[in-house]
């Protein structure tokens, strides 16, 4: 394999150059993919992405990217967020594209909550859609109460998801492995059944959800700047970006704290961690409750954005989609989850022929990743870097 030539002087002067180039290129690529309408255009862009990734791995550019991110991760994270904001405004009049961007960001946020459980603490949770739905139904119920500010509703949605987690704490602590997974699967099925038979919550017909209002601004109203009218989804996309950014910072700080190190110890070997004084039960409860609270907050905003929710939107299959994002991106890899969320949300929408087979497609992708790239779809140099940072190296 031929390594990408790197000048030590240039690398020292611009340790962020390769990472910045990749981020800007990814932003342009995302815009092209979102505005593409013909099947041949989408297919060509997907082939181009695969070819670019293979070329980066073959040429050694991935190693250069690893070095850049190691030296300048905070700066590159800020650049990635700025690029996202530019992308949202570049799509300001494209309703469907902005809806996809906002949905991807909310799924990414939910996946970060699951990553705390799966990737950091090694806890299985196959009821992610139930806690996501708990936040959405909270937004629907509180939307009829004018005394509750909609922004506070997001926090309450997280609190409700956290409260619904409490009955599962004892079973989660007393079981491990696939037994714990079965507990969460049973809860997810129970949650959907409860929604379908509960007429107060709309039964199988579902509920309407009031829109987000922030400082008197109705998010379902199209913003106008300089006489130019934008899509109202700009409002939700910007708020979803802010929420994803806040959760990203929170999870990053968590994984590099002593709590994150304890979670890693519990994931790797509970017995050894207990011998070194790690409070196993407290760490598991922290991961489970915090992860579900994040799912609830993202679900509350999702409900406000789509304006209507029903039990069919929060099934076990939807939980598997959230799990597939975590597995495709790599356990514990936040940027991997971002890429995987884009694949899971955008691919079936841009290629309609895959819509009916999306669960089969993602099942095959997950199996291939687990067989050939168990660390996830993120290139190995970056994945190794993030793993080492999480371990405190």
């Amino acid at each position: 394999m031929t390594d990408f030539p790197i000048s030590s002087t240039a690398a020292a002067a611009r340790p962020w150059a390769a990472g910045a180039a990749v981020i800007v290129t990814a932003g342009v690529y995302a815009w092209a993919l979102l505005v593409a309408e013909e099947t041949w255009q989408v297919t060509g862009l997907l082939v181009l992405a695969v070819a670019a990734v293979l070329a980066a791995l073959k040429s050694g550019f991935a190693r250069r990217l690893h070095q850049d991110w190691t030296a300048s991760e905070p700066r590159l994270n800020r650049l990635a967020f700025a690029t996202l904001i530019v992308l949202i405004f570049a799509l300001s009049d494209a309703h469907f594209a902005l809806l996809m961007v906002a949905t991807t960001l909310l799924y990414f946020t939910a996946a970060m909550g699951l990553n705390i459980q799966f990737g950091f603490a090694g806890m299985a949770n196959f009821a992610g859609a139930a806690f996501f739905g708990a936040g959405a139904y909270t937004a629907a119920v509180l939307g009829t109460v004018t005394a509750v500010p909609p922004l506070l509703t997001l926090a309450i949605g997280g609190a409700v998801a956290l409260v619904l987690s409490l009955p599962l704490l004892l079973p989660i602590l007393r079981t491990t492995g696939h037994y714990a997974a079965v507990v969460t699967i049973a809860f997810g099925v129970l949650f959907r059944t409860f929604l379908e038979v509960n007429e107060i919550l709309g039964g199988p017909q579902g509920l309407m959800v009031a829109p987000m209002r922030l400082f008197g601004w109705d998010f379902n109203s199209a913003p106008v700047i300089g006489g130019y009218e934008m899509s109202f989804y700009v409002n939700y996309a910007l708020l979803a970006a802010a929420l994803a950014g806040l959760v990203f910072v929170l999870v990053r700080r968590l994984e590099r704290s002593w709590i994150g190190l304890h979670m890693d110890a519990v994931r790797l070997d509970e017995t050894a961690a207990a011998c070194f004084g790690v409070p196993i039960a407290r760490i598991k409860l922290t991961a489970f409750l915090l992860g579900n609270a994040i799912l609830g907050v993202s679900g509350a905003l999702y409900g406000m954005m789509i304006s209507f929710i029903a039990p069919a939107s929060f099934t076990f299959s939807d939980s598997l989609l959230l799990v597939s994002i975590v597995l495709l991106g790599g356990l514990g890899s936040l940027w991997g989850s971002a890429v995987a969320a884009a694949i899971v949300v955008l691919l079936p929408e841009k290629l309609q022929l895959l819509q009916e087979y999306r669960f089969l497609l993602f099942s095959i992708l997950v199996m291939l990743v687990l067989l050939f790239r168990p660390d996830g779809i993120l290139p190995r140099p970056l994945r190794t870097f993030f793993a080492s940072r999480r371990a405190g190296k």
Side-chain angles (χ1 to χ4, degrees):
M1 178 181 297
T2 304
D3 285 338
F4 188 88
I6 302 174
S7 167
S8 58
T9 303
R14 296 178 297 173
W16 43 265
V22 168
I23 290 171
V24 174
T25 302
V28 174
Y29 177 86
W31 174 84
L33 182 62
L34 286 164
V35 300
E37 297 181 356
E38 301 295 334
T39 301
W40 67 268
Q41 294 173 331
V42 176
T43 304
L45 287 169
L46 293 176
V47 171
L48 178 62
V50 173
V53 171
L54 293 177
L57 293 173
K58 179 71 174 177
S59 66
F61 182 77
R63 182 171 65 87
R64 169 69 183 275
L65 183 58
H66 166 219
Q67 293 177 342
D68 275 21
W69 221 287
T70 302
S72 308
E73 186 196 358
R75 175 184 292 181
L76 292 176
N77 285 343
R78 291 192 293 270
L79 177 60
F81 185 78
T83 302
L84 172 62
I85 300 303
V86 171
L87 173 65
I88 291 173
F89 281 106
L91 299 167
S92 58
D93 60 348
H95 297 281
F96 183 72
L98 285 170
L99 174 61
M100 290 298 97
V101 170
T103 302
T104 300
L105 289 169
L106 291 176
Y107 271 63
F108 169 47
T109 305
M112 285 191 281
L114 281 180
N115 240 322
I116 295 175
Q117 300 166 347
F118 276 89
F120 295 177
M123 301 178 63
N125 182 2
F126 288 89
F131 298 107
F132 191 80
Y137 269 88
T138 300
V141 173
L142 293 181
T144 62
V145 182
T146 56
V148 180
L151 191 60
L152 180 60
T153 299
L154 299 183
I156 297 175
V160 169
L162 187 149
V163 170
L164 288 179
S165 306
L166 297 180
L168 295 179
L169 295 183
L170 185 59
I172 287 292
L173 291 177
R174 289 181 173 270
T175 56
T176 58
H178 56 276
Y179 295 106
V182 169
V183 170
T184 58
I185 291 172
F187 176 80
V189 174
L190 180 64
F191 178 80
R192 182 187 177 183
T193 303
F194 170 77
L195 294 178
E196 289 180 336
V197 301
N198 193 313
E199 294 299 327
I200 297 178
L201 296 178
Q205 286 75 35
L207 290 174
M208 296 297 295
V209 187
M212 167 63 75
R213 289 183 176 85
L214 191 58
F215 305 119
W217 175 256
D218 187 339
F219 272 41
N220 280 12
S221 299
V224 179
I225 299 178
Y228 176 72
E229 183 174 325
M230 304 181 184
S231 168
F232 72 91
Y233 282 119
V234 167
N235 302 317
Y236 288 104
L238 290 174
L239 185 55
L243 177 62
L246 287 174
V247 173
F248 184 92
V249 172
L250 170 65
V251 177
R252 263 287 183 261
R253 290 186 177 275
L254 174 69
E255 68 175 338
R256 294 171 182 177
S257 68
W258 63 268
I259 299 176
L261 293 177
H262 283 182
M263 287 181 180
D264 256 354
V266 171
R267 176 180 59 85
L268 293 172
D269 193 325
E270 287 190 25
T271 303
C275 292
F276 281 94
V278 175
I280 304 297
R282 189 184 308 169
I283 292 300
K284 282 189 170 183
L285 296 184
T286 300
F288 193 68
L289 294 177
L290 179 59
N292 290 340
I294 291 174
L295 282 161
V297 172
S298 54
L301 182 54
Y302 179 78
M304 294 179 182
M305 181 180 69
I306 64 175
S307 301
F308 177 80
I309 54 174
S313 302
F314 311 107
T315 64
F316 177 61
S317 297
D318 296 292
S319 292
L320 291 182
L321 280 182
L322 291 173
V323 172
S324 69
I325 292 174
V326 176
L327 295 179
L328 286 174
L331 294 178
S333 172
L334 300 188
W335 282 115
S337 293
V339 176
I343 293 174
V344 168
V345 174
L346 296 180
L347 199 58
E349 296 296 338
K350 301 304 293 186
L351 293 176
Q352 288 295 320
L353 58 96
L354 298 178
Q355 188 66 253
E356 296 182 2
Y357 305 100
R358 63 187 185 281
F359 293 113
L360 176 61
L361 171 65
F362 296 139
S363 298
I364 294 173
L365 282 177
V366 169
M367 287 189 294
L368 291 176
V369 167
L370 292 177
L371 284 173
F372 300 105
R373 288 192 70 88
D375 283 338
I377 57 178
L378 203 63
R380 184 170 296 275
L382 279 180
R383 187 67 188 91
T384 303
F385 164 65
F386 290 137
S388 65
R389 292 298 292 267
R390 191 169 67 252
K393 297 179 181 179

